[in-house]
Structure formats: structure tokens, C-alpha cells
Amino acid sequence: MAEKQIFQKAPALAFTALIAGNVCIAFGPLLVRLSDTGPIATGFWRLALATPFLAFIGYRAGFRIQSMPKGLLGLVLLAGFFFAVDIVAWHIGIFKTKLGNATLLANCASLLLAIYGIFLARKFPPPLQGAAILLAFAGAALLMGQSFEISPEHFEGDWLSLLAGLFYTFYLLAMIRVRESTESWSSLALASGSAALFLLPVAWFAGEQIVPGNWTPLIILAMSSQVLGQGFLTYALPHFSPLIIGLALLLQPALSAFAGWAAFDEALTPLDYIGGAMVMAALVLVRLAEGRAKA
């Protein structure tokens, strides 16, 4: 596989793609709030607008659907269903809680993937990687402590975001399996297209405004969060353990908290800055641990 050969020659490129993907996705909640369609309809357009671009990139990379291994198409469609449920829960939750809170809870996938990675390896990580895990989750705990508010105003959005994180974990685990035997952009195109087909009737039955008056937030959302964000993330999936992928997801709540402060004046405290810095330092440690493991 051509992309695998590229990453084998330049492992840093895979790590860069992993980080860049999470950075692009982190600003998605801001764009969801700026859209004038309903939250589920916004998710539909995010996927529907992105799918042709993803399919074109996959086609140019040489993918043909008839070449997909037998039985894999069903797994891709299942991944699309998980992603659709994630988007429904998360996009509604974004309007019912703070941006940083919604992203942090939705990224409970980071903890679940870390636990899954340790279970899969059947051993605890080496000391440097273990230190990175502790640092990352300590930073996330600081962000949680500052963002989470037990109040009727945020309760529904918090739980919807948590539900989104659970289904996002299922989605990522399915896509990790898919990426073991197929090209990244086309597999993401199939998953995105199938998720869009799930979302459109749900948005219609929910009575949401589907046709936008302003296409700009939707186009930016599709290109940034789906084509670039999910594209880079899917590209990097087979090159890292679920544990490292989970830690990288913690970048999203740190950056989303900043986006909420910049756009909606959602307060940040010194502990928010410290928590975000701890998450970023943990990613540096993970990268060092990866380098030592390959040395």
C-alpha cells in the first residue's frame, strides 16, 4: 500500500497527521453552533459535502469498490452507523453545554481507547508512555474540573456528549479494523456517505431546518472536520496503538475550550491553561516513547 510505504519511510509524518487531524476536528463544535440548519442537519451536510471529495481522493489513489475484501463493506457501513449516532448526540449536545465540556465528554473515547489498548497488549505500557498517560489524564481532569458544571442547564448536553463519545469509540475501533486492509480516503468516504444516509431522515423526522440560508459554516465544517480532520486521523490509524490514538484525542477538548472562549466568551481559568499544557506535554512524551521503542 503506497501510503503505508510513505509512513514507514517517515514515521513522523504519521504522527503529524494524527495531531493535525485532531486539531482540525477540535474547531468543529464552533462551526456547528454557527450553522443556521438544525444540529442533525448540520451533521448531514458535513458528511454529504465531504463525501465526494473523499471518494475522489480515494479513486485517484487507486481504490475500486470491487477490490474491497469480502465482508469489509458491512463493517464500513456499521462504522458509518456508529458515526451517525455519534454526530446526532454530539451536535445536539453542543447546543446544550459549553464547547469545551461537550468536546471533553465526547472524547471519553480517549479513555476507552487507552483501556482497550492496554487490554489488547495484555501488559502495562513502558515507564515513559505510562508517564504520558498519567500526565494526559491529569490534564484532562483539570479541564473537566473547570468545564463541568452540575446544573440543569448543562445536564442534558453533558450526557448526550458522553453518549457521543461511546459511539465514537465504536466507530474508531471499527475503522481501525477496516484500515488494516484498505486505503484510508475511500474507506472514510464510504463510512461518511453511509452515515449521511442515516442522518438525513433523522433530521427530517426531527423537523429541523435542512436547507441552509448560509452555506459558509457548513462548507468550512465539511472541509476542516471531515475531509482534513477525519481524513488525517483515518490516514494515521493503522500506525499507532489505540492507546496513543486515545491520548491524541485529548487535544480536541483543550482547543475547543479555547474556541469557546474566543467566540462565545466562555470563561477560561489558569487551571484550564495548565490542563491544556499538560495534555500537549503528554503528546511530546508519547512521541519520545515511540522513538525509543523503534530505536
Side-chain angles (χ1 to χ4, degrees):
M1 192 181 299
E3 65 179 292
K4 190 170 183 180
Q5 292 173 352
I6 292 172
F7 279 135
Q8 285 174 341
K9 292 177 181 177
L13 186 57
F15 190 76
T16 301
L18 181 64
I19 300 303
N22 281 287
V23 170
C24 291
I25 294 169
F27 295 95
L30 172 62
L31 293 163
V32 172
R33 280 196 184 179
L34 293 176
S35 170
D36 60 4
T37 57
I40 301 172
T42 298
F44 163 73
W45 286 116
R46 164 185 169 174
L47 300 175
L49 292 172
T51 296
F53 289 91
L54 295 168
F56 177 74
I57 297 171
Y59 182 84
R60 293 292 296 174
F63 175 81
R64 302 295 183 271
I65 194 167
Q66 60 267 28
S67 67
M68 179 172 280
K70 188 177 180 181
L72 200 62
L73 182 59
L75 185 58
V76 174
L77 295 178
L78 182 62
F81 171 74
F82 290 149
F83 197 33
V85 177
D86 160 52
I87 285 179
V88 169
W90 193 29
H91 281 201
I92 295 175
I94 285 167
F95 287 92
K96 296 179 180 293
T97 190
K98 296 165 65 176
L99 284 186
N101 212 34
T103 311
L104 184 64
L105 290 170
N107 278 285
C108 71
S110 59
L111 176 60
L112 297 175
L113 284 173
I115 294 171
Y116 177 78
I118 293 171
F119 174 79
L120 201 64
R122 296 186 179 180
K123 64 179 181 180
F124 287 104
L128 191 59
Q129 201 173 80
I133 294 169
L134 292 176
L135 188 63
F137 285 108
L142 284 180
L143 288 169
M144 171 72 83
Q146 296 303 299
S147 297
F148 192 75
E149 296 178 18
I150 301 176
S151 69
E153 182 183 358
H154 294 154
F155 183 78
E156 185 179 358
D158 290 338
W159 281 105
L160 282 169
S161 299
L162 197 60
L163 178 66
L166 178 63
F167 276 89
Y168 191 52
T169 304
F170 295 154
Y171 163 75
L172 286 175
L173 291 175
M175 290 301 288
I176 289 171
R177 182 71 179 273
V178 168
R179 285 286 287 115
E180 291 174 356
S181 52
T182 192
E183 186 270 331
S184 62
W185 301 95
S186 51
S187 58
L188 179 59
L190 289 170
S192 299
S194 61
L197 293 177
F198 287 122
L199 289 175
L200 183 57
V202 175
W204 186 77
F205 279 116
E208 292 188 355
Q209 178 180 335
I210 294 177
V211 179
N214 179 10
W215 285 94
T216 303
L218 294 174
I219 293 171
I220 297 174
L221 177 66
M223 295 301 105
S224 60
S225 286
Q226 199 63 25
V227 175
L228 296 178
Q230 290 294 335
F232 287 148
L233 180 59
T234 306
Y235 205 37
L237 284 179
H239 304 280
F240 299 100
S241 69
L243 189 151
I244 292 174
I245 294 166
L247 290 185
L249 293 179
L250 289 173
L251 266 179
Q252 294 183 35
L255 293 172
S256 286
F258 174 78
W261 166 76
F264 301 109
D265 200 27
E266 294 180 352
L268 290 178
T269 70
L271 288 180
D272 285 312
Y273 291 108
I274 293 171
M278 290 170 69
V279 169
M280 293 177 189
L283 291 171
V284 174
L285 284 180
V286 163
R287 184 70 186 124
L288 291 174
E290 285 281 289
R292 287 189 180 182
K294 294 175 181 178

